[in-house]
Amino acid sequence: MLKTPLGRFRLIALLEGISYLVLLGIAMPLKYWAGIPEVVKVVGWAHGVLFVAYLVTLLGAAIDRRWSFGRVVFAFIASLVPFGTFYLDKQLKREEQAVKKTNPAPVNS
């Protein structure tokens, strides 16, 4: 998965999506309902780092795959919506499988 720009992007997108859900679903309630603001500080920092990594790997995948501007904007917006990166990953996985069926890897003997 880490051998291609798209594979790296998919991995970071997955991690970024998980961190976003943890921030919204666990850290924020702990801050406001349990009075533990430190959790938001730690999870928010990690999510921020992953978001920047998401943007960097998005750029790498977009250049490698020659994505249109609209596709890049869609991928960016997916990072702002809860569960958006998971939906995007499902699309990318389907596309990747279609490419593999069209261009099978050569068999080494």
Side-chain angles (χ1 to χ4, degrees):
M1 182 177 223
L2 297 175
K3 294 179 181 179
T4 66
L6 182 61
R8 288 187 288 275
F9 172 64
R10 287 183 57 212
L11 177 63
I12 293 296
L14 175 67
L15 295 174
E16 194 272 342
I18 291 169
S19 74
Y20 192 35
L21 293 177
V22 170
L23 180 63
L24 294 177
I26 297 173
M28 295 298 281
L30 284 175
K31 177 180 179 178
Y32 291 108
W33 296 338
I36 310 172
E38 299 81 16
V39 178
V40 169
K41 187 174 187 177
V42 172
V43 175
W45 183 87
H47 173 68
V49 169
L50 286 168
F51 181 74
V52 171
Y54 180 90
L55 295 177
V56 170
T57 57
L58 169 59
L59 182 61
I63 290 169
D64 182 63
R65 291 293 183 133
R66 298 179 185 192
W67 285 347
S68 68
F69 180 74
R71 183 75 188 259
V72 174
V73 169
F74 176 78
F76 174 76
I77 291 171
S79 72
L80 304 177
V81 178
F83 299 100
T85 58
F86 305 115
Y87 176 76
L88 177 64
D89 184 63
K90 187 175 180 180
Q91 282 187 335
L92 295 174
K93 187 175 183 179
R94 227 177 317 174
E95 288 175 20
E96 210 170 24
Q97 289 172 346
V99 168
K100 285 181 182 178
K101 285 181 183 178
T102 308
N103 303 323
V107 178
N108 294 332
S109 301

